[in-house]
Amino acid sequence: MKNIRAFLILASLIVAFSSCTKTITPPLNNTPQLVIEGAVSDTTGPYHVNISKTADFYSDNVYPTVSGATVVITDVTANITDVLTEASVGDYITHAITGTPGHAYQLKVMLDGKTYTAMSTMPKPVPLDSVTVDYSVNNNFRPVANYQDPADQKNYYKYSMKRNGVHVHHFQTFDDRLSGGRYIRDKLDCDTGTFHHGDMVKADLVGLDAGAFNFLKEAEAVAYDNANLAVPATPTSNITGGCIGYFSAQTVSSKTTVIKSF
């Protein structure tokens, strides 16, 4: 979640300056804001909720973690409540709940006399058939996600990747508004030169509900398309109470491949 936290800081603090002919250090609103990021998935738990605060834009990307919150996740469908424990400073983990497609989950965070809540429903899982590689551009290998989009439901996705076990700091959103029920072969975004011959690539197809997807889609625009935005805006959180971040009940399907040498 580090790359998500980075653009949350960017979105909440940056004031856009254009057509400048000299370096400007603009005064920014540096009032710390609470950041909550959490997810329940259909993979094996425990599941995590991370709580931190935004940092000064000119600091060294150190985001203060927040201790002492009361964090509860409830499987509303199964009527199971799980009080999370703080495994490390700012990292709260579950004990009792299991991620189940079709179930609705409520997050509640209580901190400093304030309450923050969110609801998310886990969609039906969509399996990733395979991850292949587009070799059409020399030395710019792009993984390709291959899967069948179901025709009987609206689907929202996030792609993420690992290179040799390390997260690639780029994610990508996609929905089936124009491709419902089709077989999808989607080239995954990454920086030129991210992958090399012999690298192992792991791709994740993450199924989301609308609230989490909308946050991530807006966040993606802020993080990667910022040059096209007149004034970067904070992505719309699906957590009420006045914080930055999102809560997601999601499915995860993963496949791996190796970049071939010729």
Side-chain angles (χ1 to χ4, degrees):
M1 293 184 178
K2 290 182 179 179
N3 59 323
I4 295 177
R5 187 175 292 114
F7 68 67
L8 290 175
I9 308 306
L10 176 71
S12 64
L13 297 179
I14 287 182
V15 176
F17 285 81
S18 60
S19 302
C20 296
T21 59
K22 62 180 180 178
T23 301
I24 295 177
T25 304
L28 301 175
N29 178 10
N30 292 325
T31 302
Q33 293 181 271
L34 192 69
V35 180
I36 301 174
E37 302 168 88
V40 174
S41 75
D42 61 348
T43 60
T44 303
Y47 312 115
H48 295 255
V49 174
N50 299 118
I51 305 178
S52 61
K53 287 188 177 181
T54 58
D56 188 314
F57 182 73
Y58 299 111
S59 69
D60 295 325
N61 290 330
V62 176
Y63 311 117
T65 51
V66 175
S67 185
T70 299
V71 182
V72 179
I73 296 179
T74 300
D75 181 336
V76 178
T77 305
N79 195 27
I80 298 173
T81 296
D82 196 343
V83 179
L84 283 64
T85 55
E86 193 169 1
S88 60
V89 178
D91 180 25
Y92 302 80
I93 62 171
T94 62
H95 302 280
I97 60 173
T98 300
T100 305
H103 283 209
Y105 296 86
Q106 181 192 60
L107 170 70
K108 181 180 289 187
V109 175
M110 289 160 281
L111 178 68
D112 296 334
K114 296 182 179 180
T115 300
Y116 308 87
T117 61
M119 288 287 296
S120 185
T121 299
M122 190 177 297
K124 296 178 182 178
V126 177
L128 185 61
D129 288 346
S130 64
V131 55
T132 54
V133 180
D134 176 16
Y135 294 95
S136 61
V137 180
N138 290 336
N139 298 319
N140 186 21
F141 310 120
R142 292 186 64 184
V144 180
N146 306 285
Y147 58 97
Q148 176 65 53
D149 179 81
D152 61 346
Q153 63 187 41
K154 179 66 177 175
N155 294 286
Y156 305 93
Y157 303 107
K158 181 187 80 169
Y159 305 120
S160 61
M161 292 181 288
K162 286 184 178 180
R163 172 183 174 266
N164 299 328
V166 178
H167 278 288
V168 175
H169 294 300
H170 199 117
F171 72 90
Q172 180 179 345
T173 58
F174 173 74
D175 72 277
D176 65 354
R177 181 173 57 89
L178 300 177
S179 55
R182 297 182 182 177
Y183 195 85
I184 307 298
R185 294 179 176 87
D186 216 352
K187 295 180 182 180
L188 306 186
D189 290 341
C190 56
D191 294 332
T192 301
T194 297
F195 296 104
H196 305 88
H197 293 299
D199 284 346
M200 177 173 287
V201 180
K202 179 183 178 184
D204 291 336
L205 176 66
V206 181
L208 307 164
D209 71 356
F213 172 81
N214 290 336
F215 171 87
L216 289 169
K217 185 175 180 63
E218 292 180 23
E220 182 184 13
V222 172
Y224 308 125
D225 299 324
N226 188 51
N228 297 324
L229 299 177
V231 178
T234 303
T236 305
S237 177
N238 65 344
I239 304 174
T240 65
C243 67
I244 303 173
Y246 77 109
F247 173 65
S248 177
Q250 59 195 33
T251 61
V252 182
S253 180
S254 304
K255 293 291 182 180
T256 60
T257 193
V258 175
I259 306 292
K260 296 180 180 178
S261 298
F262 294 98

